[in-house]
Amino acid sequence: MDSKVEGTEAQKFVWEGAIPIQIHLHDSEVTTLPNPPPALILAPRLGYLPLLVRQIKPFFSSSLPPGVDTVWFEYKGLPLKWYIPTGVLFDLLCAEAERPWNLTVHFRGYPGKILTPCEGEDSVKWSFINALKEAACIITGNCKNIMNMSQSDQTDLWRSVLNGDMDAYLRVSSKLKLCTIGDDHSMKFNTTLKSRQSTIDTDVTAPARTGRIPVRLYIRSINEDIDDLEDAPTIDSWDKISYINRPFEIQGEGECFTLYDAVKTLLPELFADKHLLADDVSKGEMEDGQLSEEVSCSRTSEEAGVTSTDYVGSPSDTAEIKLLRIQGIEPKMEIPFGWVVNNLTNPEHYLHICVYIKAVEPITI
Amino acid sequence: MASETRKVVVHLRATGDAPILKQAKFKISGTDKFVKVIDFLRRQLHRETLFVYVNSAFSPNPDELVKDLYNNFGIDGKLVVNYACSMAWG
Protein backbone atom coordinates (compact mmCIF):
# COMPACT_ATOMS: atom_id res chain seq x y z
CA MET A 1 0.00 0.00 0.00
CA ASP A 2 1.36 3.38 -0.89
CA SER A 3 2.08 5.15 2.34
CA LYS A 4 2.66 8.57 0.84
CA VAL A 5 -0.20 10.94 1.44
CA GLU A 6 -0.54 13.50 -1.31
CA GLY A 7 -1.46 17.01 -0.47
CA THR A 8 -4.05 18.77 -2.59
CA GLU A 9 -3.00 21.65 -4.78
CA ALA A 10 -4.71 24.07 -2.45
CA GLN A 11 -2.87 22.62 0.53
CA LYS A 12 0.41 23.10 -1.32
CA PHE A 13 -0.42 26.75 -1.86
CA VAL A 14 -1.29 27.16 1.78
CA TRP A 15 1.91 25.49 2.99
CA GLU A 16 3.98 27.57 0.60
CA GLY A 17 2.14 30.75 1.58
CA ALA A 18 4.39 33.34 3.15
CA ILE A 19 4.22 36.98 4.20
CA PRO A 20 7.10 39.25 3.23
CA ILE A 21 8.01 41.07 6.41
CA GLN A 22 10.32 44.00 6.97
CA ILE A 23 11.44 43.95 10.57
CA HIS A 24 12.79 47.05 12.25
CA LEU A 25 14.58 47.07 15.56
CA HIS A 26 12.84 49.37 17.98
CA ASP A 27 14.62 52.71 18.33
CA SER A 28 15.02 52.38 22.06
CA GLU A 29 17.18 49.31 21.56
CA VAL A 30 19.52 50.70 18.96
CA THR A 31 22.86 51.48 20.55
CA THR A 32 24.97 51.76 17.44
CA LEU A 33 25.28 54.22 14.62
CA PRO A 34 24.13 54.00 11.97
CA ASN A 35 20.83 52.26 12.76
CA PRO A 36 20.86 48.68 11.64
CA PRO A 37 18.89 48.26 8.43
CA PRO A 38 15.64 46.33 8.73
CA ALA A 39 15.66 42.58 8.20
CA LEU A 40 13.69 41.34 5.22
CA ILE A 41 12.22 37.92 5.68
CA LEU A 42 9.60 35.65 4.16
CA ALA A 43 7.56 34.36 7.08
CA PRO A 44 5.52 31.20 6.50
CA ARG A 45 1.79 31.80 6.98
CA LEU A 46 1.48 28.61 8.96
CA GLY A 47 4.39 29.52 11.22
CA TYR A 48 4.77 31.74 14.25
CA LEU A 49 6.73 34.95 14.75
CA PRO A 50 9.06 33.74 17.55
CA LEU A 51 10.32 31.07 15.16
CA LEU A 52 11.84 33.83 13.02
CA VAL A 53 14.08 35.09 15.80
CA ARG A 54 16.88 32.69 14.96
CA GLN A 55 17.07 34.15 11.46
CA ILE A 56 16.70 37.81 12.32
CA LYS A 57 18.75 38.10 15.48
CA PRO A 58 22.08 38.25 13.57
CA PHE A 59 20.84 41.41 11.87
CA PHE A 60 20.48 43.20 15.17
CA SER A 61 22.63 41.53 17.80
CA SER A 62 25.49 43.99 17.55
CA SER A 63 23.12 46.89 18.13
CA LEU A 64 21.38 45.58 21.18
CA PRO A 65 21.95 46.97 24.65
CA PRO A 66 23.32 44.53 27.23
CA GLY A 67 20.78 42.22 28.84
CA VAL A 68 18.75 39.10 28.39
CA ASP A 69 16.63 38.72 25.27
CA THR A 70 12.88 38.71 25.72
CA VAL A 71 11.72 38.97 22.14
CA TRP A 72 8.40 40.38 21.08
CA PHE A 73 6.95 41.86 17.92
CA GLU A 74 4.73 44.82 17.43
CA TYR A 75 2.64 46.24 14.59
CA LYS A 76 1.77 49.95 14.77
CA GLY A 77 2.02 49.91 18.52
CA LEU A 78 0.13 46.68 19.06
CA PRO A 79 2.17 43.91 20.73
CA LEU A 80 1.56 40.78 18.68
CA LYS A 81 0.25 37.62 20.27
CA TRP A 82 2.96 35.13 19.47
CA TYR A 83 0.77 32.02 19.52
CA ILE A 84 -1.43 33.22 16.65
CA PRO A 85 -0.12 31.94 13.30
CA THR A 86 1.68 34.63 11.31
CA GLY A 87 -0.77 34.47 8.40
CA VAL A 88 -3.72 34.98 10.71
CA LEU A 89 -2.11 38.03 12.34
CA PHE A 90 -1.52 39.51 8.90
CA ASP A 91 -5.05 38.81 7.66
CA LEU A 92 -6.56 40.23 10.81
CA LEU A 93 -4.46 43.31 11.44
CA CYS A 94 -3.71 44.43 7.90
CA ALA A 95 -7.09 45.33 6.50
CA GLU A 96 -5.40 46.27 3.27
CA ALA A 97 -2.52 43.89 2.66
CA GLU A 98 0.74 45.71 3.26
CA ARG A 99 3.73 44.36 1.35
CA PRO A 100 6.18 44.12 2.88
CA TRP A 101 4.50 44.01 6.25
CA ASN A 102 6.38 46.42 8.50
CA LEU A 103 6.87 45.08 11.99
CA THR A 104 9.00 46.22 14.89
CA VAL A 105 10.97 43.77 16.93
CA HIS A 106 11.93 44.27 20.56
CA PHE A 107 14.50 42.29 22.45
CA ARG A 108 13.86 43.96 25.81
CA GLY A 109 10.96 45.16 27.89
CA TYR A 110 8.49 42.35 27.39
CA PRO A 111 4.92 43.67 27.86
CA GLY A 112 3.88 41.08 30.41
CA LYS A 113 0.49 42.66 30.97
CA ILE A 114 -0.50 42.28 27.34
CA LEU A 115 1.36 39.20 26.16
CA THR A 116 1.62 35.78 27.75
CA PRO A 117 5.24 34.76 28.34
CA CYS A 118 7.22 33.23 25.51
CA GLU A 119 10.55 31.55 25.92
CA GLY A 120 11.31 31.02 22.29
CA GLU A 121 10.78 27.90 20.25
CA ASP A 122 9.91 25.65 23.19
CA SER A 123 6.98 27.85 24.16
CA VAL A 124 5.69 27.85 20.59
CA LYS A 125 6.00 24.06 20.40
CA TRP A 126 4.14 23.64 23.70
CA SER A 127 1.40 25.95 22.48
CA PHE A 128 1.16 24.11 19.16
CA ILE A 129 1.00 20.61 20.64
CA ASN A 130 -1.64 21.69 23.12
CA ALA A 131 -3.70 23.32 20.40
CA LEU A 132 -3.43 20.06 18.48
CA LYS A 133 -4.61 18.12 21.54
CA GLU A 134 -7.45 20.54 21.98
CA ALA A 135 -8.47 20.06 18.35
CA ALA A 136 -8.27 16.29 18.80
CA CYS A 137 -10.56 16.55 21.82
CA ILE A 138 -13.06 18.49 19.78
CA ILE A 139 -12.94 16.09 16.84
CA THR A 140 -12.79 12.75 18.61
CA GLY A 141 -13.69 13.47 22.23
CA ASN A 142 -10.21 12.81 23.58
CA CYS A 143 -6.60 13.38 22.63
CA LYS A 144 -5.30 9.86 23.13
CA ASN A 145 -4.14 9.72 19.52
CA ILE A 146 -1.81 12.64 20.20
CA MET A 147 -0.61 11.38 23.56
CA ASN A 148 0.11 7.96 22.09
CA MET A 149 2.28 9.34 19.31
CA SER A 150 5.74 7.90 19.25
CA GLN A 151 8.55 10.23 20.22
CA SER A 152 9.91 10.22 16.70
CA ASP A 153 6.48 11.01 15.22
CA GLN A 154 6.08 13.94 17.59
CA THR A 155 9.50 15.25 16.66
CA ASP A 156 8.80 14.80 12.96
CA LEU A 157 5.46 16.57 13.26
CA TRP A 158 6.92 19.61 14.97
CA ARG A 159 9.87 19.71 12.63
CA SER A 160 7.56 19.63 9.62
CA VAL A 161 5.83 22.74 10.94
CA LEU A 162 9.19 24.42 11.67
CA ASN A 163 10.42 23.71 8.19
CA GLY A 164 7.13 24.24 6.38
CA ASP A 165 7.40 20.72 4.98
CA MET A 166 3.92 19.67 3.92
CA ASP A 167 4.86 16.17 2.80
CA ALA A 168 6.54 15.37 6.09
CA TYR A 169 3.58 16.82 7.92
CA LEU A 170 1.01 14.76 6.01
CA ARG A 171 3.03 11.61 6.54
CA VAL A 172 2.73 11.95 10.31
CA SER A 173 -0.61 13.67 10.68
CA SER A 174 -2.47 11.17 8.53
CA LYS A 175 -1.75 8.59 11.23
CA LEU A 176 -3.70 10.69 13.69
CA LYS A 177 -6.99 10.06 11.92
CA LEU A 178 -8.35 13.51 12.51
CA CYS A 179 -10.06 13.93 9.18
CA THR A 180 -13.70 14.77 9.47
CA ILE A 181 -14.49 15.51 5.86
CA GLY A 182 -14.73 12.96 3.07
CA ASP A 183 -13.70 13.49 -0.50
CA ASP A 184 -17.16 14.61 -1.46
CA HIS A 185 -16.91 17.47 1.04
CA SER A 186 -19.53 15.94 3.29
CA MET A 187 -19.01 15.09 6.90
CA LYS A 188 -17.38 11.78 7.66
CA PHE A 189 -18.47 10.90 11.11
CA ASN A 190 -15.97 9.65 13.55
CA THR A 191 -17.05 6.33 14.97
CA THR A 192 -14.09 5.93 17.27
CA LEU A 193 -15.33 8.40 19.81
CA LYS A 194 -15.50 5.99 22.68
CA SER A 195 -13.24 3.09 21.88
CA ARG A 196 -9.77 2.70 20.53
CA GLN A 197 -10.10 1.03 17.17
CA SER A 198 -7.27 -0.69 15.43
CA THR A 199 -5.13 1.50 13.27
CA ILE A 200 -6.60 -0.07 10.17
CA ASP A 201 -9.37 2.33 9.41
CA THR A 202 -12.67 0.57 8.97
CA ASP A 203 -14.21 3.81 7.75
CA VAL A 204 -17.67 2.85 8.87
CA THR A 205 -20.08 5.72 8.86
CA ALA A 206 -22.40 5.66 11.83
CA PRO A 207 -25.93 6.85 11.28
CA ALA A 208 -26.66 10.48 12.11
CA ARG A 209 -23.87 11.43 14.50
CA THR A 210 -22.50 14.84 15.19
CA GLY A 211 -19.15 15.86 13.78
CA ARG A 212 -17.26 18.80 15.22
CA ILE A 213 -14.67 20.93 13.51
CA PRO A 214 -12.33 23.13 15.54
CA VAL A 215 -12.65 26.77 14.55
CA ARG A 216 -11.06 29.95 15.87
CA LEU A 217 -12.83 33.13 14.89
CA TYR A 218 -11.27 36.57 15.09
CA ILE A 219 -13.76 39.34 14.72
CA ARG A 220 -12.85 42.90 13.99
CA SER A 221 -15.53 45.49 14.17
CA ILE A 222 -15.37 48.51 11.92
CA ASN A 223 -17.73 51.14 13.13
CA GLU A 224 -17.40 53.74 10.48
CA ASP A 225 -18.56 53.58 6.95
CA ILE A 226 -15.39 53.14 4.99
CA ASP A 227 -15.10 52.63 1.30
CA ASP A 228 -11.53 51.52 1.25
CA LEU A 229 -10.08 48.90 3.49
CA GLU A 230 -6.91 50.87 3.85
CA ASP A 231 -8.93 53.50 5.66
CA ALA A 232 -9.82 51.02 8.37
CA PRO A 233 -8.62 52.31 11.72
CA THR A 234 -5.53 50.68 13.16
CA ILE A 235 -6.04 48.20 15.93
CA ASP A 236 -4.32 49.58 18.98
CA SER A 237 -5.59 47.10 21.53
CA TRP A 238 -6.59 43.45 21.58
CA ASP A 239 -9.81 44.58 23.26
CA LYS A 240 -10.92 45.68 19.81
CA ILE A 241 -10.79 42.10 18.55
CA SER A 242 -13.33 39.52 19.58
CA TYR A 243 -11.87 36.07 19.69
CA ILE A 244 -14.13 33.04 19.79
CA ASN A 245 -13.14 29.40 20.04
CA ARG A 246 -16.26 27.66 18.82
CA PRO A 247 -16.43 24.34 16.93
CA PHE A 248 -18.62 23.99 13.91
CA GLU A 249 -21.07 21.25 14.68
CA ILE A 250 -23.25 19.51 12.18
CA GLN A 251 -25.99 17.02 12.71
CA GLY A 252 -27.30 14.76 10.04
CA GLU A 253 -25.39 12.62 7.68
CA GLY A 254 -23.67 13.36 4.42
CA GLU A 255 -24.84 16.92 4.18
CA CYS A 256 -22.94 19.41 2.17
CA PHE A 257 -22.66 22.70 3.95
CA THR A 258 -21.42 25.86 2.33
CA LEU A 259 -19.08 28.32 3.96
CA TYR A 260 -22.06 30.61 4.28
CA ASP A 261 -24.02 27.95 6.16
CA ALA A 262 -21.08 27.37 8.47
CA VAL A 263 -20.55 31.04 9.28
CA LYS A 264 -24.26 31.44 9.86
CA THR A 265 -24.13 28.56 12.34
CA LEU A 266 -20.98 29.85 14.03
CA LEU A 267 -22.08 33.47 14.28
CA PRO A 268 -25.86 33.43 14.34
CA GLU A 269 -25.87 36.87 15.94
CA LEU A 270 -24.79 38.40 12.66
CA PHE A 271 -27.58 36.86 10.67
CA ALA A 272 -30.48 37.74 12.89
CA ASP A 273 -33.37 38.96 10.84
CA LYS A 274 -33.85 42.54 11.76
CA HIS A 275 -37.59 42.08 11.68
CA LEU A 276 -37.57 39.24 14.18
CA LEU A 277 -38.80 40.25 17.58
CA ALA A 278 -38.50 36.95 19.39
CA ASP A 279 -35.33 35.16 20.37
CA ASP A 280 -33.40 33.78 17.50
CA VAL A 281 -31.48 31.04 19.21
CA SER A 282 -28.65 29.23 17.55
CA LYS A 283 -29.61 25.74 16.61
CA GLY A 284 -27.74 22.58 17.36
CA GLU A 285 -24.68 24.50 18.31
CA MET A 286 -24.45 23.77 21.96
CA GLU A 287 -25.55 20.58 23.59
CA ASP A 288 -28.23 20.44 26.21
CA GLY A 289 -27.16 21.13 29.71
CA GLN A 290 -24.23 23.23 28.71
CA LEU A 291 -23.92 26.84 29.53
CA SER A 292 -25.35 28.53 26.48
CA GLU A 293 -25.51 32.25 26.42
CA GLU A 294 -28.55 33.96 25.17
CA VAL A 295 -28.28 34.54 21.50
CA SER A 296 -31.12 36.82 20.77
CA CYS A 297 -31.92 39.20 18.04
CA SER A 298 -31.76 42.63 19.55
CA ARG A 299 -34.75 44.81 19.16
CA THR A 300 -33.40 47.98 20.57
CA SER A 301 -30.00 49.48 20.73
CA GLU A 302 -29.87 49.06 24.53
CA GLU A 303 -30.30 45.32 24.26
CA ALA A 304 -27.77 45.20 21.50
CA GLY A 305 -24.98 46.07 23.84
CA VAL A 306 -25.30 42.92 25.93
CA THR A 307 -25.42 40.05 23.53
CA SER A 308 -23.23 37.12 24.23
CA THR A 309 -20.32 37.48 21.96
CA ASP A 310 -18.61 40.48 23.44
CA TYR A 311 -18.25 42.38 20.24
CA VAL A 312 -16.96 45.85 20.44
CA GLY A 313 -19.55 47.80 18.53
CA SER A 314 -22.64 45.86 19.29
CA PRO A 315 -24.03 43.37 16.81
CA SER A 316 -27.31 45.07 16.44
CA ASP A 317 -29.54 44.38 13.53
CA THR A 318 -27.26 46.46 11.35
CA ALA A 319 -24.23 44.23 11.82
CA GLU A 320 -23.01 42.81 8.58
CA ILE A 321 -19.97 40.94 7.40
CA LYS A 322 -17.74 43.18 5.38
CA LEU A 323 -14.97 40.68 4.83
CA LEU A 324 -14.11 37.12 5.62
CA ARG A 325 -10.56 35.87 5.27
CA ILE A 326 -9.07 32.43 5.57
CA GLN A 327 -5.39 31.83 4.71
CA GLY A 328 -5.31 35.22 3.06
CA ILE A 329 -8.17 34.40 0.72
CA GLU A 330 -11.65 35.81 0.70
CA PRO A 331 -13.50 32.67 -0.34
CA LYS A 332 -16.84 32.75 -2.08
CA MET A 333 -19.51 32.00 0.45
CA GLU A 334 -20.97 29.24 -1.73
CA ILE A 335 -17.84 27.15 -1.41
CA PRO A 336 -18.49 23.79 0.28
CA PHE A 337 -17.38 24.16 3.86
CA GLY A 338 -15.92 20.67 3.65
CA TRP A 339 -13.48 21.93 1.02
CA VAL A 340 -12.49 24.80 3.27
CA VAL A 341 -11.82 22.41 6.14
CA ASN A 342 -9.86 19.96 4.02
CA ASN A 343 -7.68 22.57 2.42
CA LEU A 344 -7.41 25.68 4.57
CA THR A 345 -6.96 24.26 8.07
CA ASN A 346 -3.75 24.96 9.96
CA PRO A 347 -1.42 22.12 10.98
CA GLU A 348 -2.85 21.96 14.49
CA HIS A 349 -6.21 21.18 12.87
CA TYR A 350 -7.83 24.47 13.66
CA LEU A 351 -9.53 26.55 11.01
CA HIS A 352 -8.74 30.23 11.66
CA ILE A 353 -11.30 32.65 10.27
CA CYS A 354 -10.90 36.42 10.29
CA VAL A 355 -14.13 38.35 10.02
CA TYR A 356 -14.52 42.08 9.61
CA ILE A 357 -17.95 43.25 10.56
CA LYS A 358 -19.57 46.59 10.35
CA ALA A 359 -21.60 47.32 13.40
CA VAL A 360 -23.17 50.46 14.65
CA GLU A 361 -22.41 51.68 18.14
CA PRO A 362 -25.51 52.41 20.13
CA ILE A 363 -25.82 56.12 20.63
CA THR A 364 -25.51 57.26 24.22
CA ILE A 365 -28.35 59.54 25.16
CA MET B 1 -30.90 39.97 33.38
CA ALA B 2 -29.14 40.15 30.06
CA SER B 3 -26.44 42.37 31.51
CA GLU B 4 -25.26 39.87 34.12
CA THR B 5 -22.37 37.79 32.90
CA ARG B 6 -22.89 34.10 33.22
CA LYS B 7 -20.66 32.33 35.67
CA VAL B 8 -18.92 29.07 34.97
CA VAL B 9 -18.34 26.48 37.66
CA VAL B 10 -14.73 25.33 37.68
CA HIS B 11 -13.73 22.16 39.48
CA LEU B 12 -10.06 22.14 40.42
CA ARG B 13 -8.53 18.70 40.76
CA ALA B 14 -5.05 17.88 41.98
CA THR B 15 -2.89 15.51 39.95
CA GLY B 16 0.13 13.55 41.10
CA ASP B 17 1.58 14.97 44.26
CA ALA B 18 0.05 18.40 43.88
CA PRO B 19 -1.56 19.64 47.07
CA ILE B 20 -5.31 19.21 47.26
CA LEU B 21 -7.29 22.39 47.83
CA LYS B 22 -9.73 22.53 50.71
CA GLN B 23 -12.20 24.25 48.45
CA ALA B 24 -12.15 22.76 44.99
CA LYS B 25 -15.15 24.30 43.26
CA PHE B 26 -15.29 27.91 42.19
CA LYS B 27 -17.36 30.18 40.05
CA ILE B 28 -15.74 32.45 37.57
CA SER B 29 -17.14 34.85 35.03
CA GLY B 30 -17.41 33.34 31.56
CA THR B 31 -15.79 36.37 30.02
CA ASP B 32 -12.65 35.98 32.11
CA LYS B 33 -9.58 34.47 30.54
CA PHE B 34 -8.21 31.10 31.59
CA VAL B 35 -5.15 32.87 32.97
CA LYS B 36 -7.33 33.92 35.88
CA VAL B 37 -7.73 30.27 36.88
CA ILE B 38 -3.99 29.69 36.53
CA ASP B 39 -3.12 32.75 38.60
CA PHE B 40 -5.67 31.77 41.22
CA LEU B 41 -4.07 28.35 41.53
CA ARG B 42 -0.60 29.87 41.77
CA ARG B 43 -1.71 32.08 44.65
CA GLN B 44 -3.57 29.30 46.47
CA LEU B 45 -0.72 26.85 46.19
CA HIS B 46 2.08 29.39 46.57
CA ARG B 47 3.78 28.03 43.52
CA GLU B 48 4.91 29.77 40.37
CA THR B 49 5.40 26.64 38.32
CA LEU B 50 2.17 24.80 37.71
CA PHE B 51 0.90 22.70 34.88
CA VAL B 52 -2.79 23.22 34.32
CA TYR B 53 -4.99 21.08 32.11
CA VAL B 54 -8.59 20.71 31.07
CA ASN B 55 -10.11 17.22 31.34
CA SER B 56 -6.64 15.77 31.96
CA ALA B 57 -6.07 16.28 28.28
CA PHE B 58 -4.52 19.55 27.16
CA SER B 59 -3.25 22.85 28.53
CA PRO B 60 -5.39 25.66 27.20
CA ASN B 61 -3.85 28.90 26.05
CA PRO B 62 -4.06 31.31 29.00
CA ASP B 63 -5.84 33.85 26.77
CA GLU B 64 -8.75 31.49 26.09
CA LEU B 65 -12.10 32.60 27.44
CA VAL B 66 -13.49 30.45 30.21
CA LYS B 67 -16.91 30.36 28.58
CA ASP B 68 -15.48 28.96 25.34
CA LEU B 69 -13.60 26.27 27.26
CA TYR B 70 -16.74 25.46 29.21
CA ASN B 71 -18.92 25.34 26.10
CA ASN B 72 -16.46 23.09 24.31
CA PHE B 73 -15.22 20.87 27.11
CA GLY B 74 -17.51 21.26 30.08
CA ILE B 75 -18.91 18.11 31.63
CA ASP B 76 -21.97 17.89 33.87
CA GLY B 77 -22.26 21.62 34.27
CA LYS B 78 -18.65 22.33 35.14
CA LEU B 79 -15.22 22.80 33.69
CA VAL B 80 -12.76 20.31 35.12
CA VAL B 81 -9.29 21.77 35.54
CA ASN B 82 -6.43 19.53 36.64
CA TYR B 83 -3.25 20.93 38.08
CA ALA B 84 0.14 19.38 38.67
CA CYS B 85 3.49 20.55 39.94
CA SER B 86 5.37 18.73 37.21
CA MET B 87 4.31 17.94 33.67
CA ALA B 88 1.60 15.32 33.97
CA TRP B 89 0.69 14.79 30.35
CA GLY B 90 3.50 15.73 27.99
Side-chain angles (χ1 to χ4, degrees), chain A residues 207-276:
Chain A
R209 295 197 63 143
T210 59
R212 304 209 300 169
I213 294 173
V215 178
R216 297 202 203 272
L217 294 140
Y218 308 83
I219 297 149
R220 182 171 162 175
S221 194
I222 298 182
N223 294 337
E224 299 109 48
D225 239 313
I226 51 164
D227 291 317
D228 238 319
L229 276 179
E230 54 182 49
D231 298 331
T234 307
I235 302 284
D236 57 5
S237 157
W238 287 99
D239 294 337
K240 302 239 168 89
I241 308 271
S242 282
Y243 162 68
I244 304 174
N245 181 350
R246 188 181 283 178
F248 173 71
E249 191 157 354
I250 168 177
Q251 305 194 3
E253 196 184 329
E255 288 196 37
C256 188
F257 264 61
T258 63
L259 176 59
Y260 177 82
D261 294 328
V263 177
K264 192 168 174 179
T265 307
L266 287 166
L267 295 171
E269 308 90 324
L270 299 182
F271 293 83
D273 186 342
K274 58 175 88 171
H275 299 299
L276 261 183

Side-chain angles (χ1 to χ4, degrees), chain A residues 81 83 116 126 130 133-134 137-138 143 212 216 243-245 247 286 290-294 306 308 310, chain B residues 1-2 6-8 31 51 57-59 61-65 67-68 70-74 87 89-90:
Chain A
K81 294 192 175 186
Y83 51 80
T116 55
W126 172 262
N130 278 291
K133 286 183 184 172
E134 186 179 354
C137 282
I138 287 175
C143 65
R212 304 209 300 169
R216 297 202 203 272
Y243 162 68
I244 304 174
N245 181 350
M286 294 172 188
Q290 284 194 0
L291 188 79
S292 62
E293 310 224 43
E294 260 129 53
V306 294
S308 61
D310 306 311
Chain B
M1 171 180 112
R6 295 284 188 95
K7 300 264 190 198
V8 169
T31 51
F51 293 88
F58 66 93
S59 272
N61 189 308
D63 276 351
E64 289 289 334
L65 294 176
K67 66 175 166 142
D68 284 345
Y70 174 77
N71 284 336
N72 300 342
F73 307 107
M87 206 183 291
W89 297 281

Side-chain angles (χ1 to χ4, degrees), chain A residues 54-70:
Chain A
R54 202 189 295 184
Q55 282 172 270
I56 65 169
K57 172 123 195 234
F59 284 77
F60 305 119
S61 46
S62 54
S63 290
L64 293 175
V68 176
D69 290 345
T70 51

